[in-house]
Amino acid sequence: MTTTLRGASLDASSVPVARLPRPGAAVLLGAGPPVATLGGMPYRVCVTYLLRERDGVAQVLLGRKKTGLGVGYHVGLGGKLEPGETAVEAAVREVAEEAGVTVDPSDLDPRGELLYLFPHRESWSQRSSVFVTTRWQGEPTESDELVPAWHDVADLPLGEMWDDARQWLPGVLVGGHVSHEFTFGDDLATVVSDRPLRAS
């Protein structure tokens, strides 16, 4: 089945923002996968958000993690680039592996870049390419890694996602772009500083 989003009438300013956990509060780690670094440089990863419209409501596919760090957290579909892969190639592969659907590379809409810095555990630092798509083949199914589920874009489970997601994901899902750097604190879960991503 090919699914296509037909322009949802949703403005980024109308998307609610979840309350951040208080400092010191218990937080599950790992709304995204930890990655190694090579020569001190963050590894490249990708994340893709599938969008659809149902009864005039824009929805996004997120996966609840089943294993590893961040069990129970909602994440986009994605992961680490394999040697020789482009971000687009990795996005196509990861969507198939994690949700069982096929995306044509030409249907991936690049929405920006994110840099995650973990000064207290540098091996987790990563640079992520962000994609959105409204077309794919197949129906999302559970995998060994994720339990996929549709969420209204206007009611994202931001309290159960990466701490940074509240600052950029709602806007990206309604047509925006992102280019930002986030630094996480010593709890490895809370954003302690952020700034626009410097051109490389």
Side-chain angles (χ1 to χ4, degrees):
M1 179 188 73
T2 298
T3 305
T4 304
L5 181 72
R6 305 179 305 277
S9 57
L10 179 66
D11 183 80
S13 63
S14 69
V15 178
V17 172
R19 185 184 301 275
L20 286 173
R22 298 186 309 277
V27 180
L28 287 174
L29 296 182
V35 294
T37 57
L38 180 63
M41 298 298 292
Y43 259 79
R44 293 299 306 265
V45 297
C46 63
V47 63
T48 301
Y49 297 94
L50 276 60
L51 289 172
R52 72 177 187 182
E53 184 180 298
R54 284 294 180 271
D55 300 321
V57 177
Q59 296 182 324
V60 60
L61 186 73
L62 300 174
R64 186 179 283 275
K65 288 204 67 176
K66 296 168 61 176
T67 61
L69 290 175
V71 170
Y73 266 70
H74 299 282
V75 297
L77 308 178
K80 181 181 171 183
L81 275 63
E82 295 183 347
E85 265 189 328
T86 66
V88 168
E89 291 168 341
V92 169
R93 175 181 53 77
E94 290 284 351
V95 168
E97 291 176 356
E98 295 188 342
V101 299
T102 302
V103 174
D104 190 288
S106 65
D107 289 326
L108 287 172
D109 180 8
R111 293 294 178 86
E113 295 280 324
L114 297 164
L115 179 61
Y116 297 113
L117 300 177
F118 290 84
H120 300 278
R121 189 166 298 177
E122 293 184 354
S123 63
W124 286 23
S125 295
Q126 54 189 274
R127 186 178 181 118
S128 179
S129 298
V130 181
F131 298 97
V132 165
T133 186
T134 60
R135 294 177 61 85
W136 58 89
Q137 298 286 332
E139 289 291 341
T141 56
E142 184 174 344
S143 67
D144 291 341
E145 298 182 56
L146 300 175
V147 179
W150 292 100
H151 298 265
D152 291 353
V153 170
D155 190 24
L156 297 172
L158 293 169
E160 301 175 71
M161 300 179 73
W162 271 105
D163 195 13
D164 62 280
R166 65 189 297 272
Q167 299 191 43
W168 62 269
L169 184 57
V172 162
L173 296 181
V174 296
H177 291 75
V178 64
S179 179
H180 218 78
E181 174 185 305
F182 295 95
T183 301
F184 286 76
D186 58 7
D187 65 354
L188 308 178
T190 305
V191 172
V192 295
S193 67
D194 68 276
R195 63 182 179 181
L197 190 59
R198 291 177 293 184
S200 55

